């Protein structure tokens, strides 16, 4: 998990005194995908490129990592943005040197002199990617370390150095690497499937979409709103929430808006027992979602349910709700507790938006919902509503909003 604060520690700060050539982006899980590796890497590179367009970045796809070049003034923000792209294991500043031990020693001495305050210890770390290089990593570490000691008088501390100076030896070059910033991990959006997420404007559903995106799914969004019209709903916070989770991935999405009033009116005019209204509405949303998903070739529905968090999410009610869907329902948050979800929302940056007041349709539904709905009773109650007609009307009232299309991620001011 990427901790945004991580990068702003004073420890990282001083590494910015070095004028880096760019940064490396490493992936891990993508690399384990055998026959899919090439396609996954290509998707990752494409997403990264799009996510960094606003930084005038150039991305190079090399054998086992990517190299990114950005103008100096955008370096830090671009580095942090790359760490947020799904698929990234870590990013690290890099200086590209010729494949020469003398050049690496020069860089190490310069680094120590730039970074160290008095009496700080150091260590040299070397990883040999090019196994034909005529020295082992350990031989290089002690040889280079000794030369730095000779030239600076600094003390070596191999176990807990104040300044760790890292190198990687490639066949045609040496990288000097700065400290690693952990990435969000996962798989690049678009490689594992397409789903439709039910999004509410609350805290949970944006996070559930973020989590399934991190497993490589591309996500379209469906929101039922209680606004007077689609235009007002389109200007509301659901769109902002979606932008917050989708644009850092360099991908685009669709937000489908459907007014709740059609279903609400039918409920008001019906004799449906009030405690069943919530479960019926959840089933209705799923039926509409299934119709849309099938038409658009989406493979599943995502919701922000967490087991037993609220009345609609008891084991019994979830089973009754599931019964309304032919497509699989994915619930990434099923086992999360609220505190964990909030922590994640704060890290991702959706929390402040989610807690802003919003007229949510679920709040218009009966106060004391049934917590242990029985399928047979729910199906009987559902017969009191003209469900098929309501689905048709709702679909005819739907508005589609494209989000992030042709839009490069712009660096925030
Ligand atoms: P959230 O914080 O995501 O709103 P919640 O804890 O309030 O979740 P519910 O209101 O029972 O729980 O909603 C459960 C799930 O149903 C949501 O996570 C979302 O996936 C879906 N959902 C709820 N309201 C809407 C809505 N108005 N439009 C689309 N989907 C919705
Ligand atoms: Mg809600």
């Amino acid at each position: 998990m990427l901790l945004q604060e991580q990068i702003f520690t004073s420890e990282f700060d001083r590494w910015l005194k070095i004028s880096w050539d760019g940064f490396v982006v490493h992936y891990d899980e993508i690399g384990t995908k055998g026959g899919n590796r090439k396609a996954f890497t290509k998707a990752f590179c494409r997403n990264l490129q799009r996510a960094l367009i606003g930084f005038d970045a150039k991305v190079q796809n090399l054998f086992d990592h990517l190299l990114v070049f950005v103008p100096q003034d955008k370096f830090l923000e671009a580095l942090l943005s790359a760490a947020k792209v799904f698929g990234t294991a870590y990013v690290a500043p890099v200086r590209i040197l010729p494949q020469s031990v003398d050049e690496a020693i020069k860089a190490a001495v310069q680094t120590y002199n730039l970074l160290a305050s008095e009496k700080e210890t150091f260590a040299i770390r070397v990883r040999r990617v090019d196994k034909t290089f005529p020295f082992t990593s350990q031989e290089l570490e002690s040889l280079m370390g000794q030369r730095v000691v000779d030239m600076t008088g600094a003390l070596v501390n191999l176990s807990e150095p104040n300044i760790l100076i890292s190198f990687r030896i490639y066949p045609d070059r040496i990288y000097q690497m700065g400290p690693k910033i952990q990435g969000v991990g996962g798989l690049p959006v678009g490689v594992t499937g397409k789903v439709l997420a039910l999004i509410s404007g609350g805290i949970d559903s944006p996070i559930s979409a973020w989590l399934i995106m991190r497993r490589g799914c591309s996500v379209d969004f469906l929101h039922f709103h209680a606004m007077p019209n689609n235009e007002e709903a389109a200007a509301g916070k659901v769109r902002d929430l979606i932008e917050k989770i989708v644009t850092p991935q360099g991908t685009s999405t669709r937000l489908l808006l459907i007014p709740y009033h059609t279903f609400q009116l039918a409920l008001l005019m019906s004799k449906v027992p009030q405690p069943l209204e919530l479960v019926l509405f959840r089933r209705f949303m799923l039926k509409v979602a299934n119709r849309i998903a099938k038409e658009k070739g989406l493979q599943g529905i995502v919701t922000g349910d967490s087991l037993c968090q609220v009345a609609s999410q008891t084991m019994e009610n979830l089973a009754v709700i599931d019964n309304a869907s032919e497509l699989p329902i994915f619930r990434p948050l099923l086992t999360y507790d609220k505190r964990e979800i909030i922590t994640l929302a704060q890290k991702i940056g959706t929390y402040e938006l989610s807690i802003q007041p919003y007229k949510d349709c679920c709040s218009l539904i009966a106060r004391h919902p049934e917590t242990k709905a029985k399928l047979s009773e729910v199906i009987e109650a559902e017969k009191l509503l003209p469900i098929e007609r309501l689905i048709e009307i709702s679909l005819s009232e739907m508005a589609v909003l494209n989000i992030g299309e042709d839009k490069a991620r712009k660096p925030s001011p």
Side-chain angles (χ1 to χ4, degrees), residues 6-7 22 36 50 73 81 113 122 160 188 205 231 233 258 261 265 304 342 346 353 362 364 388 410:
Q6 214 175 325
I7 198 169
N36 282 330
R50 285 200 57 189
D73 59 325
S81 297
N113 286 338
F122 81 100
E160 281 184 15
S205 42
E231 289 68 37
I258 295 185
H261 61 195
L265 211 63
I342 288 176
Q346 285 166 333
L353 276 170
C362 291
L364 304 174
E388 270 311 307
K410 290 270 179 294

Side-chain angles (χ1 to χ4, degrees), residues 50-76:
R50 285 200 57 189
L52 298 179
I53 271 180
F55 300 106
D56 306 321
K58 289 191 181 53
V59 181
Q60 273 181 13
N61 186 357
L62 299 175
F63 167 66
D64 63 347
H65 64 279
L66 302 155
L67 256 186
V68 180
F69 300 97
V70 279
Q72 275 300 319
D73 59 325
K74 296 173 179 162
F75 182 78
L76 187 57

Side-chain angles (χ1 to χ4, degrees), residues 197-206 208 222-226 260 278 281-282 285 302-306 309-313 333 338 358 360-362:
L198 288 172
I199 187 162
S200 71
I203 296 170
D204 306 331
S205 42
S208 65
L222 172 60
H223 175 58
F224 286 80
H225 66 85
Y260 167 61
L278 186 58
F281 177 50
R282 297 290 312 277
M285 286 200 289
V302 183
T303 74
D305 294 308
S306 157
Q309 191 195 86
V310 292
S312 64
Q313 298 168 359
L333 294 175
K338 196 75 188 185
Y358 188 68
D360 177 30
C361 348
C362 291

